Amino acid sequence: EAAAPEGMDLITPLKEVLKKSLIHDGLARGLHEAAKALDRRNAHLCVLASDCSEPAYLRLVEALCLEHSINLIKVARQMELGEWAGLCKYDAEGNPRNVVKCSCVVVKDYGEESEALNVLLEHFKSQA
């Protein structure tokens, strides 16, 4: 389990990895999709929002990640996670509009190798 206390150095590569996964249709968003992906063990990474209002939700996702040895990153806000997971529209200036909150995102397919992915994988190796 990897909480991100150092903050910014992990958030930027995380956003890039989520974007690449979204393009390659490799994201499971929300509890139902995420729990299925975690249970089937076809998840590489789980991102959980710390400000989720339901403690049982947090415990379930953390327990599934721990049981199946899946890397877990916690982020601060549901709105940010929803935006990163593509649950929003963008206006003409490129600003996010109508962002839907999201408490849990699971990466099933990284899409492609990238520097950002290597940064995340190195972080997990150093945590182990």
Side-chain angles (χ1 to χ4, degrees):
E1 176 182 332
E6 54 270 27
M8 295 316 289
D9 62 330
L10 207 58
I11 295 301
T12 309
L14 177 63
K15 286 198 284 193
E16 193 174 316
V17 167
L18 287 176
K19 186 182 281 188
K20 284 193 188 322
S21 296
L22 179 64
I23 291 168
H24 290 272
D25 198 30
L27 286 185
R29 301 172 287 196
L31 181 62
H32 187 240
E33 287 182 33
K36 284 196 305 188
L38 290 170
D39 230 10
R40 290 182 186 144
R41 292 184 169 93
N42 63 356
H44 298 295
L45 165 67
C46 181
V47 187
L48 188 61
S50 300
D51 67 344
C52 178
S53 57
E54 188 61 51
Y57 187 117
L58 295 172
R59 285 197 307 269
L60 172 67
V61 173
E62 287 170 353
L64 283 170
C65 287
L66 192 63
E67 182 183 336
H68 301 308
S69 304
I70 294 163
N71 295 321
L72 176 68
I73 293 182
K74 289 187 179 176
V75 296
R77 297 181 48 235
Q78 293 173 313
M79 289 299 259
E80 287 176 345
L81 189 54
E83 181 186 333
W84 301 342
L87 296 173
C88 63
K89 302 268 188 254
Y90 291 97
D91 61 14
E93 291 87 47
N95 299 318
R97 297 274 182 246
N98 304 339
V99 180
V100 178
K101 291 180 186 174
C102 184
S103 294
C104 184
V105 174
V106 170
V107 177
K108 299 184 290 188
D109 177 12
Y110 287 126
E112 57 194 57
E113 291 286 324
S114 66
E115 187 58 41
L117 177 57
N118 293 336
V119 169
L120 281 181
L121 294 176
E122 282 302 315
H123 171 74
F124 292 128
K125 282 182 191 162
S126 68
Q127 292 286 317

